[in-house]
Amino acid sequence: MLLWWILTVPSFLFVAIDIWRTTPEASVLKWAFMILTAFTGPIGAFFYVLGCREPLQGTPEEYATVRWRQVLGSTMHCAAGDGIGIIAGTAIGAGVALSFWPDFTLAYALGFGFGWAFFQAFAMRDMAGGSYVESLKMTFLPELLSMNVLMAGMQLTSRFSMKNVSGGDDPARPEFWFIMSMALLAGFVLAYPINWWLVANHMKHGMLTARKEPSLSMASAGHAGGHSPPQRPAVQPTPPPPSPAPHDPLPPPPFRPPRAAPLLS
């Protein structure tokens, strides 16, 4: 467990720094990868490099079109938004020693509420024309299906582990957070197939590339490694119509020598 936390710190720092410098994804996906890596350590960093980080500058659109990468982004979005709510609810329930059903209800309410109301509907409202209400309607069913599967995986893992690991049910001890990290990973794996179906049926998004449009002040940045703005082709002036060629002058009449005058006899 100590090795896990030692690997988690550099993994999180790598993703947190690199994703804002090199990866032109939507901000909500950047935060989602950071949250996922904070709990899943090197595995979350591996998912980021494998499925989100562009291998060559300027190629994320082509790189992310593969279905499994789209599903990876969708599942990661679910695991980060719903997962942090579930973990918070579980920590509160364990801290005040709630019984099973109140603890389960609190974790479910916080997980679904935060994942749906903020991480999905609020963060993705531009896909619904900017309307938060329409975004809530659009994301409700996909979020419900994905959240239920994620919750099932996390609950099965955490309930079993807390009973068998000393200190696993105490949020003040590292064992609790290690168990919740493993529970989030289990929920992620279990939720991947349902997210595949949701993405394939256009009910959930995958990766969301958000490349900024370069400004006109960056016109000279292309020589320094930046992206120069697209140049419009110069408007060529319409050439004047060709003037008609002058008619060739008539050829001179053929030379005829004068006839000699007849001799008078």
Side-chain angles (χ1 to χ4, degrees):
M1 187 171 63
L2 179 60
L3 178 61
W4 175 261
W5 296 121
I6 292 175
L7 293 175
T8 295
V9 172
S11 298
F12 174 77
L13 291 176
F14 164 70
V15 173
I17 296 172
D18 188 79
I19 200 169
W20 293 100
R21 295 178 58 189
T22 65
T23 305
E25 294 295 335
S27 295
V28 64
L29 291 182
K30 293 180 179 181
W31 282 107
F33 264 115
M34 290 172 58
I35 293 171
L36 187 70
T37 307
F39 285 98
T40 61
I43 298 178
F46 175 73
F47 285 161
Y48 163 67
V49 173
L50 184 67
C52 181
R53 190 177 192 268
E54 55 181 349
L56 297 173
Q57 187 176 8
T59 60
E61 292 87 347
E62 296 80 4
Y63 184 68
T65 53
V66 183
R67 175 63 57 79
W68 69 264
R69 287 194 180 98
Q70 293 285 320
V71 179
L72 180 67
S74 175
T75 312
M76 174 274 308
H77 191 187
C78 168
D82 300 339
I84 195 171
I86 294 171
I87 292 173
T90 305
I92 295 172
V96 298
L98 293 178
S99 59
F100 174 78
W101 283 113
D103 179 66
F104 179 90
T105 303
L106 177 62
Y108 189 93
L110 290 181
F112 186 76
F114 183 73
W116 175 47
F118 178 76
F119 238 67
Q120 288 287 346
F122 180 78
M124 312 299 295
R125 64 191 183 280
D126 288 344
M127 298 181 67
S131 171
Y132 180 61
V133 174
E134 289 299 321
S135 186
L136 285 171
K137 297 176 183 178
M138 183 179 69
T139 57
F140 175 77
L141 182 58
E143 175 66 15
L144 180 67
L145 296 174
S146 184
M147 158 71 186
N148 286 340
V149 178
L150 178 78
M151 180 76 173
M154 293 186 67
Q155 283 292 306
L156 290 173
T157 304
S158 61
R159 297 292 173 180
F160 175 81
S161 301
M162 287 178 182
K163 292 179 179 180
N164 294 278
V165 175
S166 177
D169 57 352
D170 184 0
R173 299 187 58 175
E175 288 85 357
F176 172 87
W177 298 103
F178 179 75
I179 288 173
M180 296 312 298
S181 295
M182 296 301 103
L184 187 61
L185 277 175
F188 182 96
V189 172
L190 202 61
Y192 189 88
I194 186 64
N195 276 270
W196 185 289
W197 183 83
L198 291 169
V199 171
N201 286 275
H202 309 289
M203 298 175 67
K204 286 194 73 176
H205 66 85
M207 297 294 184
L208 296 173
T209 301
R211 194 181 299 282
K212 293 182 178 179
E213 292 292 335
S215 61
L216 294 177
S217 62
M218 295 174 59
S220 61
H223 299 289
H227 296 283
S228 59
Q231 301 292 330
R232 294 184 178 180
V235 178
Q236 299 295 334
T238 304
S243 58
H247 297 287
D248 293 330
L250 295 176
F255 175 76
R256 293 181 181 180
R259 290 187 296 176
L263 296 176
L264 297 176
S265 56

